[in-house]
């Protein structure tokens, strides 16, 4: 073995698939997934780019494993939990997890080689809905509706120019209201001013919409 090869082996020591995937998630959290490459990841790990292929065969396999880590972070309620509480708990957790990993929003349901955490997650959701009395087709409708709400809200939240009550109030007073003269946009002006005065918290919108979705699904199930 040449001196160069010996140096490469030494620099790659300590690598594992778990370490490679966790570092890829960290990079995606900081920089987004579009710029993630094997070369960039290898640099962050202090390893040779080709050495990563001992652990993941391609970028697609890497993305599968990264998405699986995200699914692993989403909390699932115990089996004995009533279905609405279980789905609420799962949805709230998913929203929090996707806020930490916004790059994953568009990848969660796109993987054709699902990892074990991905499969366990979907099995648990389907089992919860079926045990609650939703027929197979209706359980599928409910699953699609809940996922669409969670992912859609997460995508919108990731692109809003504010996160907190204070940030919303500052933007409303200094950015939005100056663009909304009351004689031209009376209802928008009135709404923005009233929301600021009320201490409106945009984070409350998620639970408001989620509870409407769950309430609408309740009559569609048969008695468990």
């Amino acid at each position: 073995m040449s001196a160069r090869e010996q140096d490469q082996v030494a620099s790659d020591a300590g690598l594992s698939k778990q370490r490679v995937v966790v570092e890829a998630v960290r990079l995606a959290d900081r920089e987004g997934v579009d710029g993630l490459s094997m070369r960039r990841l290898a640099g962050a790990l202090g390893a040779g780019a080709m050495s990563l292929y001992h652990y993941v065969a391609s970028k697609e396999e890497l993305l599968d494993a990264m998405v699986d880590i995200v699914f692993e972070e989403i909390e699932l309620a115990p089996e004995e939990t009533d279905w609405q509480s279980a789905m609420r708990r799962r949805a709230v957790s998913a929203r929090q997890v996707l806020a930490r990993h916004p790059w994953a929003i568009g990848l969660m349901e796109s993987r054709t080689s699902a990892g074990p955490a991905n499969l366990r997650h979907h099995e648990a959701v389907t089992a919860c809905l079926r045990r609650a009395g939703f027929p197979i087709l209706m359980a599928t409708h409910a699953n699609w509706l809940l996922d669409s709400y969670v992912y859609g809200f997460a995508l919108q939240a990731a692109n809003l120019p504010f996160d907190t009550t204070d940030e919303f109030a500052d933007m409303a007073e200094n950015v939005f209201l100056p663009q909304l003269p009351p004689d031209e946009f009376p209802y928008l002006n009135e709404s923005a001013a009233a929301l600021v005065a009320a201490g409106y918290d945009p984070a409350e919108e998620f639970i408001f919409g989620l509870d409407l979705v769950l309430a609408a699904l309740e009559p569609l199930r048969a008695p468990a």
Side-chain angles (χ1 to χ4, degrees), residues 7-223:
D7 289 344
Q8 187 64 64
V9 169
S11 67
D12 294 343
L15 282 186
S16 65
K17 182 173 182 179
Q18 179 70 9
R19 186 181 168 204
V20 168
V21 175
V22 167
E23 185 59 36
V25 169
R26 289 197 189 105
L27 276 175
D29 289 345
R30 291 198 305 267
E31 303 172 11
V33 76
D34 291 339
L36 180 65
S37 67
M38 292 302 214
R39 186 175 298 278
R40 176 75 181 87
L41 178 56
L45 288 164
M50 295 306 297
S51 66
L52 300 190
Y53 291 98
H54 293 296
Y55 307 99
V56 286
S58 64
K59 185 174 179 180
E60 287 303 305
E61 184 177 316
L62 177 63
L63 291 174
D64 288 339
M66 292 166 65
V67 166
D68 214 50
I69 282 181
V70 177
F71 271 111
E72 188 73 51
E73 292 182 17
I74 299 174
E75 182 182 4
L76 295 170
E79 286 187 9
E80 62 272 15
T81 309
D82 71 273
W83 82 270
Q84 286 203 31
S85 297
M87 292 298 96
R88 185 182 293 105
R89 185 167 169 178
R90 174 251 184 180
V92 169
S93 178
R95 182 200 169 201
Q96 294 169 342
V97 170
L98 292 172
R100 295 197 297 269
H101 310 297
W103 55 268
I105 297 170
L107 296 175
M108 297 293 280
E109 303 300 329
S110 71
R111 313 318 298 163
T112 56
S113 298
N118 186 335
L119 293 174
R120 285 194 301 269
H121 180 96
H122 285 89
E123 173 67 15
V125 170
T126 302
C128 176
L129 294 170
R130 293 287 289 119
R131 285 195 297 264
F134 288 94
I136 291 174
L137 184 57
M138 196 57 66
T140 303
H141 291 331
N143 201 343
W144 272 80
L145 179 58
L146 288 163
D147 280 354
S148 297
Y149 178 73
V150 171
Y151 295 142
F153 194 99
L155 181 62
Q156 176 172 282
N159 290 281
L160 287 175
F162 51 80
D163 291 316
T164 66
T165 299
D166 290 341
E167 289 175 357
F168 170 78
D170 182 66
M171 290 217 58
E173 291 177 326
N174 299 305
V175 179
F176 301 148
L177 279 170
Q179 301 178 57
L180 302 172
D183 56 334
E184 189 174 359
F185 302 105
Y187 291 104
L188 289 176
N189 181 285
E190 176 189 45
S191 295
L195 290 173
V196 171
Y200 170 72
D201 183 358
E204 295 177 355
E205 294 295 346
F206 182 75
I207 293 297
F208 176 82
L210 178 61
D211 284 345
L212 287 179
V213 170
L214 294 172
L217 289 172
E218 173 63 28
L220 304 180
R221 69 187 184 97

